[in-house]
Amino acid sequence: MSPDYPREACGIVGVFGIPDAALLIHAGLFALQHRGQEGAGIVTSDGNQVKSTKGLGLVNDVFSMKTLRGMKGHLGIGHVRYSTTGSSRLQNVQPLVVECSDGIWAIAHNGNLINAGALRLMYQEAGAIFQTSTDSEVLIHLLADPMYRNRPRRVARALAELKGAFAFVLMTKDCVMAARDALGFKPLSIGKLGDGYVFASETCALSQIGAEYLRDVEPGELVVVDSSGLHSSWFAEPPSTGLSHCVFEHVYFARPDSLLFGQSVHSVRMKLGMRLAQEHPVEADLVTAVPDSGNSAALGFSRQSGIPLDFGFMRNHYVGRTFIMPDADQRARSVDMKLAVVKEVVKGKRVVVVDDSIIRGTTARRRVSALREAGAREIHMRISCPPTMHPCFFGIDFATRAELIASNRSLDEIRVYTGADTLGYLSIDGLLSPFPKAPDYCTACFSGRYPLDISRMEGKGALETLTPLLNLQAKNH
Ligand code: SF4
């Protein structure tokens, strides 16, 4: 099996000390469905018996109420997976479950491990067999490694071997653990529900199941919950140079009703929209969002500029997933079906369209064309992040550098390509302006300044060696 290291932006949930944990995990995964639609899985334990269910598709496709009721237990973990067409197979759906000499372990991962290739090769050369093509599986091998097995802090030591971006939830038959990498790329929050604890990628999942948000798992922290309570320890020191929270989580990925890295996603996006209006003012009749991720920024743009906000696009929430469609034409038609222009709103108007990002440019072009067909007089595109010029190596599924329109075209060439009358991107300073400690954010896909040494990824010594691995289906916009 050739490893393809899918670049995922997944969602994870962990529950300890609450009856019918499977039902809660299911509700939490449902709230995190926007982070992954390819597959979902839940593993539970009643302290003795471990049960696992997983499958391809949406959370509600994978779990029936009968299945969930059959998964008895007061602890468990769950995962929703976003990946690519080539990696769309059941073995890759998490949580990964294995039986080690000391019993069953299950893990669920959000992020991307940049030394997974080197670790995998090392274990394969020593005779280990891998069951999946995910980077996450290397943690299983580290946990099972005899070198680590008898050490008291084996989980911490295994985590300390990993490089890259990760938020993990792990479980054995009688405890649940949660950990974040030392730079804090990926979000992971802790909540309290009754006498039990809940971990989730975003706080919207805690709200969904009625848990009270306590705090985030800190970068480099390992939190263990068992029958004796919650225990914290550190497997890595956060660097003195600052953290690297993924700023794109705030721009696009997370749900607006989540608190992320301590700040409201909605408020951050509003501020980005306000700053965008200051940086790229325009005379127009209305502001409209590209829903849903452009909504909060469009509201901010409207408030700052005084231009009224209206609904120029209407989203159809019942269109299937575009990424599994086999050809580009089908995907494009599906993208068109997802967003309809409200003609009566835009006809004869000068329209400001606020979107969160432009990746390849094809979707932006279709949006502009649809607005023109509906009779918009002028179209002014405003993007609430800087031009996306560099690939992400830390778990967000962008196109290759060649496919990123901003990496090989000037601003005006992008404007011409999309067909807009004007185009304005937020500056990097503007992007970081909502955050009290700007250096604590990764901006590598905009600036090219990677917080980790990616030139030695996979231990092969060259960024180019990863290019085929990155040539995966991008977010279609
Ligand atoms: S490169 Fe971009 S998408 Fe990737 S972690 Fe950094 S900010 Fe996030």
Side-chain angles (χ1 to χ4, degrees), residues 345-359:
V345 171
V346 303
K347 193 171 178 191
K349 301 280 175 51
R350 298 169 299 170
V351 182
V352 180
V353 185
V354 178
D355 203 353
D356 57 86
S357 55
I358 297 178
I359 304 298

Side-chain angles (χ1 to χ4, degrees), residues 4 9 66 70 75 129 146 157 162 181 186 214-215 231 251 276 386 391 427 443 463 467:
D4 49 13
K66 190 172 165 215
L75 68 105
I129 294 167
R157 283 173 181 269
L162 302 177
D181 69 77
K186 293 289 156 193
L214 290 182
R215 66 176 178 89
H231 313 277
V251 169
L276 186 59
S427 66
T443 59
L463 181 57
T467 305

Side-chain angles (χ1 to χ4, degrees), residues 258-327:
S258 285
L259 272 181
L260 205 79
F261 313 129
Q263 280 188 269
S264 149
V265 174
H266 170 67
S267 302
V268 166
R269 287 185 190 163
M270 277 262 295
K271 288 175 188 166
L272 297 179
M274 293 172 84
R275 176 74 177 235
L276 186 59
Q278 289 169 341
E279 291 187 8
H280 298 285
V282 62
E283 282 191 17
D285 302 310
L286 67 98
V287 175
T288 189
V290 175
D292 295 321
S293 51
N295 288 349
S296 304
L299 181 60
F301 194 105
S302 168
R303 288 202 181 157
Q304 180 67 35
S305 63
I307 303 169
L309 183 70
D310 209 335
F311 299 108
F313 289 104
M314 208 46 69
R315 179 175 284 282
N316 182 339
H317 290 272
Y318 304 99
V319 177
R321 292 163 291 150
T322 53
F323 72 88
I324 58 167
M325 294 184 177
D327 67 58

Side-chain angles (χ1 to χ4, degrees), residues 30-47:
F30 195 66
L32 297 177
Q33 186 76 83
H34 60 288
R35 298 185 69 86
Q37 299 97 43
E38 181 189 295
I42 294 177
V43 179
T44 57
S45 168
D46 60 6

